Amino acid sequence: MTALILASGVGSRMGDITAQRPKCMTPLPDGETILSRQLRQLCAAGTDKIVITTGAFADVLRDYVSSLGVAAEVIFVHNPDFETTNYIYSMFLAEKELDGDILLLHGDLVFEDTVLQMIAGSSTSAMAVSTTRPLPEKDFKAVISGDTVRAVGIDFTKNAAAAMPLYRLTDADRRTWLTQIGSYCRSGDSQKLRCYAENALNEVSDKCSIRPVDFTGLLCAEIDTPDDLAAVSAELACLKSRRVYMCFSADVIHSGHINMIRRAAALGRLTIGIMTDRAVTAYKHLPLVAYADRAELFRNINGVAEVVPQDTLSYRDNLTRLKPDIVVHGDDWRKGFQQPVREEVVSVLAGYGGKLVEFPYSDDPAVSAAERSMRCAHALPDYRRGVLRKLLDTKRNLTAIEAHSGLTGLIAENSRVYENGTVRQFDAMWISSLCDSTSRGKPDIELVDMTARMRTVNEIMEVTTKPVIFDGDTGGLTEHFVYTVRTLERTGVSMVIIEDKSGLKKNSLFGTEVEQVQADTEEFCRKISAGKKALKTDELMICARIESLILGMGMDDALRRALAYTAAGADAIMIHSRSSSPDEVLTFARLFREQDGFTPLVCVPTSYSSVTEEELYSAGINIVIYANQLTRSAFPAMQQTAESILRTHSAAECEEMCMPFREIIRLIPEEY
Ligand code: SPV
Ligand code: MG
């Protein structure tokens, strides 16, 4: 890209500093001049041709620039009438040297790398503005409407923002502006040679599309007076002590991250917050790489000064503690589930004068490929199988919701709500025998055979990544169960729950209203042990489900069985109840915990649905399964819809009960 630096001005307000040299050669702290700093920054931003317009002390400027050994081609365009014209005329003279998109800047502008990167990286024309700085009295203001700069000048105040003469111009916008400048300069009207080039721009701005790029909080200033120079020098000194914060959950590091880190580090001393396993799990997945390793990885990246844990999706705690001057993030979080997190960051920063800097999110195909391959890893059976155990280790208290088809699987996978600075989602999916049977119009009596059940499992697993808890009914004959566990293990299921019933199993919610027989304890223990022995890994968990409370056998029986089943190798215990009160489940959990503090406890609060997860967890329960709510809520909705069509001889009346077709299409990802 070509850059045009306008450096023909006299710089009369600078006093002695410009007595022997042009203003752009004003020295800055650290030994650079305004111009040498600009040239270095432009080269670093990938500029390969730099056009400099000269006026006063043109020879001094040329000699100086040639002594710098600039990496890009440098062309000088002299404005012989620099004393009687403004830079509009210099731009007119320089036009022949320009081609394609350009960067346009004044030679007295000092800015930090990030501001240039934001302007240069814009895909449209762009101008540096600050939406929160007080409007300057004499300098440029930009009138902004929507996401476009409508006019630039010193007299505007309405809908205006402080603006700096640092632009990116697309080829088309450059031509439009320069054509108008041409008609000004050829008009023979001397006023038109002395006005700002922006006067010409304002007449054609409706044909251009210049995006305001907000540099609030970053250094970008013109130097017109020795006071300006002192202020900018002080700001440059502050840059060194500026604290920058950025947070990652990433367990793959790709070029997109490195790029962001490099840019963030250019802003100051960079602290990286790494989301703890718990924090990532809460809104995404259990990370593939544990916190300690991710932290170590980031600690060793160039530019990272320090790594700290971030315990929640919310930045509030870390920002309140660290008070960074700047938070950096990709602009992708302006949309989607992270939007409220962003809003909170903006408000916390506003509380102490911090600033949010957003970089365009990388659409590099290599980055998308790296992220896709990471998502794939979550879906693969060998990884997925062990996730439930790991989640129990990291979170301890989990929820699961029923899924009986690909579509309900997607609902279980993707449902999220934002709460207290974090996202809540289900941890796992329960493939219920009741719902699997019901969706096939069959009773829940182990009539749907294992082949059909496995088809449901596969259908769900194919489109989701969360761990699967399989309702194994009674597990069937021990001789069959050993094959079932191997199939489940191979498929990537994380837990199978088998209930201690024998003979014709009926749904537990019938309780003693129908004839059901509880299994003999020893026999059930043998089934558990055989299942455990048949496994090739220790990842598929076998959970023993106790029906004593369902069948009226009492608390002691339930506890006795629980201890026997864990001794036989059960990885978890599910206690079931059909009471409308949670009391017996809570009592069981407390009594069991007196004897076993570790084995995970599972429950299904269907009949005692008024209980909260918190009450269950505090009694010692670890996994709360919402076993049938998707089926039970969908069924009456479908029934009403069908009856409405029958009644009205049309689908119009039921339309409002239906999800818009567009939404249901979006629920299904085209490529997982
Ligand atoms: C199921 O969802 O199939 C269960 C739980 O086994 S219950 O229906 O309550 O028995
Ligand atoms: Mg069942």
Side-chain angles (χ1 to χ4, degrees):
M1 189 159 41
T2 299
L4 172 60
I5 301 177
L6 302 170
S8 315
V10 180
S12 51
R13 285 192 283 156
M14 292 293 282
D16 283 354
I17 301 171
T18 51
Q20 305 291 331
R21 59 191 163 200
K23 184 164 63 164
C24 61
M25 283 176 62
T26 300
L28 297 169
D30 282 355
E32 285 191 303
T33 62
I34 303 176
L35 183 63
S36 70
R37 182 182 164 87
Q38 288 184 346
L39 293 172
R40 172 178 58 75
Q41 290 174 306
L42 287 169
C43 290
T47 308
D48 51 11
K49 179 177 173 185
I50 300 173
V51 181
I52 303 175
T53 67
T54 61
F57 307 110
D59 293 342
V60 179
L61 182 58
R62 275 169 180 271
D63 291 348
Y64 172 64
V65 173
S66 60
S67 76
L68 293 174
V70 180
E73 177 193 6
V74 180
I75 308 265
F76 296 94
V77 174
H78 188 58
N79 175 1
D81 302 323
F82 65 90
E83 277 175 339
T84 55
T85 62
N86 205 337
Y87 61 85
I88 186 169
Y89 188 56
S90 302
M91 284 177 74
F92 172 68
L93 297 175
E95 182 179 5
K96 59 182 182 310
E97 297 295 345
L98 306 176
D99 196 19
D101 289 13
I102 65 161
L103 291 169
L104 168 66
L105 58 152
H106 287 199
D108 58 0
L109 201 58
V110 179
F111 43 84
E112 58 189 282
D113 296 351
T114 306
V115 178
L116 181 63
Q117 282 161 5
M118 292 194 308
I119 294 286
S122 172
S123 53
T124 61
S125 294
M127 179 182 200
V129 306
S130 171
T131 50
T132 52
R133 270 193 201 181
L135 292 183
E137 215 175 288
K138 292 188 189 139
D139 290 332
F140 275 153
K141 273 86 75 181
V143 179
I144 297 168
S145 151
D147 200 23
T148 310
V149 172
R150 293 282 167 222
V152 179
I154 55 171
D155 297 324
F156 300 112
T157 49
K158 198 157 171 251
N159 299 329
M164 286 293 154
L166 172 60
Y167 299 87
R168 179 190 175 116
L169 296 171
T170 59
D171 184 49
D173 290 346
R174 173 185 59 81
R175 284 169 196 272
T176 306
W177 187 359
L178 279 163
T179 303
Q180 193 65 6
I181 286 177
S183 68
Y184 265 52
C185 293
R186 289 190 196 95
S187 68
D189 178 351
S190 62
Q191 281 304 323
K192 290 197 164 174
L193 297 176
R194 277 202 287 270
C195 69
Y196 294 114
E198 279 76 3
N199 290 19
L201 173 66
N202 294 343
E203 289 179 3
V204 291
S205 63
D206 57 333
K207 298 191 186 78
C208 300
S209 173
I210 302 178
R211 192 171 67 91
V213 169
D214 197 343
F215 65 84
T216 302
L218 303 176
L219 170 62
C220 184
E222 274 182 300
I223 296 184
D224 288 321
T225 63
D227 282 350
D228 291 345
L229 177 61
V232 165
S233 301
E235 265 198 78
L236 282 169
C238 284
L239 293 191
K240 295 210 179 77
S241 58
R242 197 160 60 181
R243 286 157 310 135
V244 181
Y245 183 76
M246 218 178 160
C247 178
F248 285 104
S249 65
D251 47 8
V252 283
I253 298 184
H254 49 59
S255 57
H257 297 131
I258 302 294
N259 217 353
M260 289 277 267
I261 288 171
R262 200 173 49 234
R263 295 173 74 172
L267 290 167
R269 185 180 186 277
L270 177 61
T271 298
I272 300 270
I274 297 292
M275 282 208 204
T276 56
D277 295 347
R278 218 186 147 86
V280 182
T281 307
Y283 82 99
K284 214 156 62 173
H285 281 116
L286 183 76
L288 295 174
V289 182
Y291 170 80
D293 290 335
R294 284 181 291 129
E296 189 59 16
L297 247 135
F298 276 90
R299 213 170 270 129
N300 284 288
I301 294 175
N302 230 346
V304 176
E306 135 188 78
V307 168
V308 297
Q310 183 171 309
D311 258 329
T312 56
L313 184 58
S314 160
Y315 285 48
R316 181 180 286 282
D317 288 353
N318 276 7
L319 296 192
T320 310
R321 191 167 57 83
L322 301 168
K323 295 231 164 31
D325 302 293
I326 291 179
V327 170
V328 172
H329 202 284
D331 60 4
D332 54 314
W333 71 342
R334 289 171 183 220
K335 291 194 203 116
F337 75 94
Q338 292 212 68
Q339 214 178 322
V341 182
R342 178 185 183 272
E343 278 160 22
E344 189 185 54
V345 166
V346 170
S347 108
V348 175
L349 286 172
Y352 66 84
K355 147 95 177 134
L356 173 64
V357 172
E358 290 167 322
F359 294 131
Y361 188 70
S362 171
D363 51 7
D364 180 347
V367 168
S368 319
E371 282 176 352
R372 200 166 41 246
S373 82
M374 192 190 69
R375 276 200 302 276
C376 288
H378 287 278
L380 294 177
D382 274 343
Y383 177 77
R384 186 172 184 164
R385 192 173 48 230
V387 169
L388 191 70
R389 254 192 211 282
K390 291 185 192 141
L391 281 176
L392 280 164
D393 287 347
T394 29
K395 271 182 85 174
R396 202 63 195 150
N397 299 325
L398 313 178
T399 55
I401 189 154
E402 173 260 311
H404 58 268
S405 60
L407 185 58
T408 48
L410 283 175
I411 290 172
E413 175 87 4
N414 296 325
S415 297
R416 284 181 172 81
V417 294
Y418 185 78
E419 185 186 284
N420 301 334
T422 193
V423 173
R424 269 177 60 73
Q425 58 172 330
F426 294 103
D427 299 292
M429 286 173 283
W430 163 245
I431 304 192
S432 146
S433 68
L434 171 68
C435 300
D436 203 354
S437 307
T438 304
S439 73
R440 296 160 195 273
K442 299 237 167 96
D444 181 19
I445 51 171
E446 296 189 271
L447 176 64
V448 179
D449 66 14
M450 202 45 75
T451 312
R453 299 286 315 279
M454 285 312 295
R455 205 178 312 136
T456 306
V457 171
N458 277 312
E459 215 174 79
I460 292 170
M461 293 188 87
E462 206 167 286
V463 295
T464 59
T465 61
K466 289 189 173 168
V468 165
I469 304 174
F470 181 73
D471 178 356
D473 287 320
T474 64
L477 296 173
T478 299
E479 291 79 354
H480 295 178
F481 183 56
V482 290
Y483 283 92
T484 304
V485 291
R486 285 214 183 141
T487 307
L488 293 169
E489 183 182 41
R490 224 173 28 249
T491 311
V493 167
S494 299
M495 179 185 273
V496 55
I497 302 187
I498 49 170
E499 58 195 273
D500 56 358
K501 282 200 198 122
S502 65
L504 179 63
K505 179 221 98 147
K506 307 251 173 73
N507 186 276
S508 300
L509 299 173
F510 286 125
T512 48
E513 289 161 25
V514 294
E515 205 186 310
Q516 305 206 58
V517 180
Q518 197 167 12
D520 171 72
T521 305
E522 277 72 40
E523 213 169 282
F524 198 67
C525 284
R526 273 196 293 280
K527 197 184 283 186
I528 294 166
S529 303
K532 286 296 292 177
K533 225 165 116 202
L535 290 171
K536 305 257 188 232
T537 70
D538 63 357
E539 289 176 336
L540 170 63
M541 301 173 77
I542 296 181
C543 173
R545 162 171 164 178
I546 296 168
E547 295 286 297
S548 306
L549 303 180
I550 295 280
L551 299 173
M553 303 307 290
M555 191 62 71
D556 287 349
D557 184 68
L559 280 166
R560 189 180 50 76
R561 283 174 177 266
L563 297 177
Y565 297 161
T566 46
D571 298 291
I573 295 291
M574 170 176 156
I575 183 68
H576 205 15
S577 159
R578 67 190 283 259
S579 164
S580 57
S581 147
D583 290 352
E584 59 182 19
V585 166
L586 295 172
T587 303
F588 173 90
R590 288 195 192 102
L591 292 172
F592 180 75
R593 282 283 169 249
E594 281 174 13
Q595 308 202 46
D596 182 332
F598 177 75
T599 305
L601 278 180
V602 182
C603 75
V604 174
T606 301
S607 54
Y608 53 99
S609 59
S610 60
V611 73
T612 64
E613 289 160 20
E614 289 70 23
E615 286 170 290
L616 293 166
Y617 295 147
S618 69
I621 297 286
N622 305 100
I623 305 181
V624 177
I625 298 179
Y626 296 97
N628 44 48
Q629 283 75 6
L630 295 188
T631 296
R632 281 167 54 215
S633 54
F635 184 67
M638 290 193 279
Q639 213 166 25
Q640 268 183 41
T641 305
E643 285 168 10
S644 160
I645 293 172
L646 281 176
R647 258 195 309 274
T648 61
H649 302 219
S650 157
E653 278 71 11
C654 69
E655 205 50 55
E656 65 181 24
M657 293 188 264
C658 297
M659 182 182 224
F661 204 69
R662 277 175 180 284
E663 279 177 37
I664 201 141
I665 294 171
R666 273 196 215 109
L667 202 59
I668 316 286
E670 273 180 22
E671 179 202 35
Y672 196 72

